[in-house]
Amino acid sequence: MVTPPQAPRWENWARTAAATPAALARPADVDELARTVADAAALGRRVRAVGAGHSFTAAAVTDGVQLSLDALDAIERVERRPDGTALVTVGAGIRLAALNGALAALGLGLRNLGDIDKQSIAGAISTGTHGTGVRLGGLATQVVGVRVVTATGEVVEASAAQRPDLFELARLGLGAAGVLAAVTLEVVPAFLLDAREEPWPLDEVLERLDGADGLVEGNDHFEFYWFPHTRRALTKRNNRATEGPGLSPVRAWVDDELLSNGVFELTNRLTTVLPATTRRINAVAARSLSARRYVAPAPRVFASPRRVRFREMEYAVPRAALPDVLEQVDRWVDASGERISFPVEVRFAAADDLWLSTAHGRETAYVAVHQYWRQPYLRYFSAVEEIMARVDGRPHWGKLHWLGAERLAELYPRFADAQRVRAQADPDGVFDNPYLERVFGPRG
Ligand SMILES: Cc1cc2nc3c(=O)[nH]c(=O)nc-3n(C[C@H](O)[C@H](O)[C@H](O)COP(=O)(O)OP(=O)(O)OC[C@H]3O[C@@H](n4cnc5c(N)ncnc54)[C@H](O)[C@@H]3O)c2cc1C
């Protein structure tokens, strides 16, 4: 059912992209979803699905019909395999927190996750959302089948065996191939993680990154946060465990709510009015972080609450380029006079073969820069984008960047295939918006 616009239900998380859709629709099931798309297309209206609105780019923005898949959020089918893994088909609108909960109740879990669990599964895979782990890929690599509503309102199933080209674009392609109604995920038995967080000198992190026993190879999930204006970092090493002491609720609240959100919001407000305090505040923050170690179910270790709003740009670079990239960012920050209050986050992923995956064909390091949403970010992000361009960095599809189709075609060997399938699946541009037109390029 398409309804006239009401008070905006959805707002871009980072407030980077305002949108006024002509209509909002919240179909109750796949048939209603298919009718809604077909009706909109017949009226010449554009359609965009929205998940949790957590992208920093205007990927989900439309002036046509905005479709919320919130009602398609059920586990539909579970096919267990002898080795303990399972294929789970789930409504595309389900939020990751709910998905994690439902999988845990079945004794199952996703292999890897990003650092929040607010996104919808469809939104997360469509933008190439990833976590960290040198032997693991992003969320879309865990998808083995999709149910898609095409631009004509037809409902089709796709997988590596059935309509493989459509599958490629549908599992990671910003919704250019159609609206995802359901996805089938390959999941694993639920597992615990031994989480070890420690502040380290940045130089020691960089020295000990590589090699068989290095931080990257030697841990299932390694990441670090570097505090600009300092040479200090917070390291996170998460490894599979069978048992161990948990984290007391008080310590969890102090670290995750009070320090990472409450105090962090206050220090960001302070540095917004008094930028000169940034360097000192970062140094104090980096030094006052204390080590902690605990064991908990994987989803609880992966995701933490993020209530301080920020803007973000993240680039995927060849792993070997990481030290040089960080050095250049550090040098630029020093020379520029800009004050950066948010840490730079560094993660890792295995090479994969998904057409539009930021880790396509190369072992990858992710470098994410953030800026508090009330502070200027354009100069910082533009400089970082220039640095990333020199090493053929690929931008996260859901985070800020200024690349267009021409450059993206140079960065992705299968980009022309993605463009071809988009043209075949949606010849009239029902699923277009200005962001898609920019990144996929004009229709021929
Ligand atoms: C605080 C925060 C933390 C984050 N952490 C991480 C992280 O750890 N790792 C990482 O990689 N990214 C991270 N991100 C980025 C985030 O995961 C992506 O931007 C993701 O797309 C957001 O999911 P969403 O459900 O909000 O999608 P939306 O932003 O609503 O939509 C994203 C895209 O998916 C499309 N889409 C949504 N639903 C459908 C559907 N049913 N069918 C077809 N297309 C659809 C939309 O049209 C749009 O193109 C983070 C973002 C924030 C704000």
Side-chain angles (χ1 to χ4, degrees), residues 74-428:
I75 300 264
E76 192 179 300
R77 187 161 167 267
V78 180
E79 187 187 324
R80 290 186 186 270
R81 290 154 152 181
D83 65 356
T85 63
L87 298 182
V88 175
T89 303
V90 60
I94 194 169
R95 301 297 162 96
L96 295 182
L99 175 61
N100 291 335
L103 290 176
L106 295 162
L108 298 167
L110 291 165
R111 269 177 225 278
N112 202 5
L113 281 161
D115 53 22
I116 61 162
D117 59 10
K118 305 291 176 212
Q119 309 95 318
S120 66
I121 187 68
I125 63 171
S126 296
T127 53
T129 292
H130 61 89
T132 190
V134 73
R135 290 177 284 277
L136 297 162
L139 266 71
T141 65
Q142 301 170 58
V143 175
V144 298
V146 292
R147 184 174 307 135
V148 194
V149 174
T150 68
T152 53
E154 197 191 343
V155 182
V156 301
E157 305 281 340
S159 66
Q162 195 180 358
R163 302 186 185 236
D165 282 4
L166 186 71
F167 174 60
E168 269 304 324
L169 192 64
R171 69 169 159 166
L172 201 176
L174 294 164
V179 181
L180 293 164
V183 301
T184 300
L185 298 155
E186 189 183 54
V187 300
V188 295
F191 58 97
L192 298 174
L193 283 175
D194 174 5
R196 206 165 157 189
E197 300 174 9
E198 285 169 6
W200 281 34
L202 176 66
D203 296 303
E204 201 177 331
V205 176
L206 297 177
E207 270 161 34
R208 291 182 48 187
L209 271 185
D210 300 324
D213 295 330
L215 291 165
V216 179
E217 262 81 14
N219 291 288
D220 293 335
H221 311 270
F222 175 69
E223 66 185 304
F224 66 94
Y225 294 82
W226 159 54
F227 291 79
H229 312 293
T230 79
R231 298 295 290 178
R232 300 206 59 89
L234 173 68
T235 59
K236 292 194 177 190
R237 286 173 280 173
N238 297 330
N239 289 290
R240 284 184 177 230
T242 44
E243 56 178 12
L247 193 62
S248 83
V250 174
R251 177 79 202 264
W253 182 82
V254 168
D255 289 344
D256 298 337
E257 285 295 349
L258 184 65
L259 297 178
S260 301
N261 285 296
V263 173
F264 195 43
E265 173 72 37
L266 290 178
T267 57
N268 273 290
R269 283 176 186 242
L270 179 65
T271 55
T272 305
V273 271
L274 292 173
T277 59
T278 311
R279 188 185 291 265
R280 178 165 290 263
I281 284 179
N282 281 13
V284 172
R287 290 204 171 270
S288 57
L289 287 167
S290 56
R292 65 176 185 171
R293 187 168 184 176
Y294 63 96
V295 172
R300 256 197 274 148
V301 174
F302 286 131
S304 34
R306 294 284 177 93
R307 299 190 214 293
V308 181
R309 279 182 190 251
F310 54 86
R311 295 195 172 90
E312 181 173 351
M313 163 183 277
E314 181 174 52
Y315 264 85
V317 299
R319 188 179 145 194
L322 175 67
D324 185 44
V325 161
L326 288 182
E327 199 51 49
Q328 289 189 49
V329 174
D330 189 23
R331 252 188 271 141
W332 184 87
V333 170
D334 263 359
S336 69
E338 291 286 318
R339 296 287 179 256
I340 314 300
S341 56
F342 256 78
V344 173
E345 186 178 11
V346 179
R347 294 182 276 186
F348 301 88
D352 64 48
D353 61 358
L354 278 64
W355 288 355
L356 296 183
S357 166
T358 45
H360 182 99
R362 65 190 195 198
E363 200 169 278
T364 290
Y366 289 101
V367 179
V369 295
H370 311 74
Q371 187 64 301
Y372 184 53
W373 73 282
R374 294 172 201 265
Q375 293 185 13
Y377 65 99
L378 285 174
R379 198 167 158 239
Y380 177 35
F381 285 14
S382 308
V384 169
E385 185 155 90
E386 257 180 63
I387 292 168
M388 302 299 178
R390 290 180 215 138
V391 293
D392 285 344
R394 296 173 179 150
H396 188 301
W397 297 103
K399 300 183 184 179
L400 296 173
H401 71 95
W402 290 282
L403 302 198
E406 213 172 302
R407 175 65 179 146
L408 291 163
E410 293 167 356
L411 296 170
Y412 287 91
R414 303 302 298 270
F415 198 74
D417 291 307
Q419 286 175 313
R420 169 179 56 78
V421 176
R422 169 177 175 247
Q424 286 162 357
D426 183 16
D428 300 322

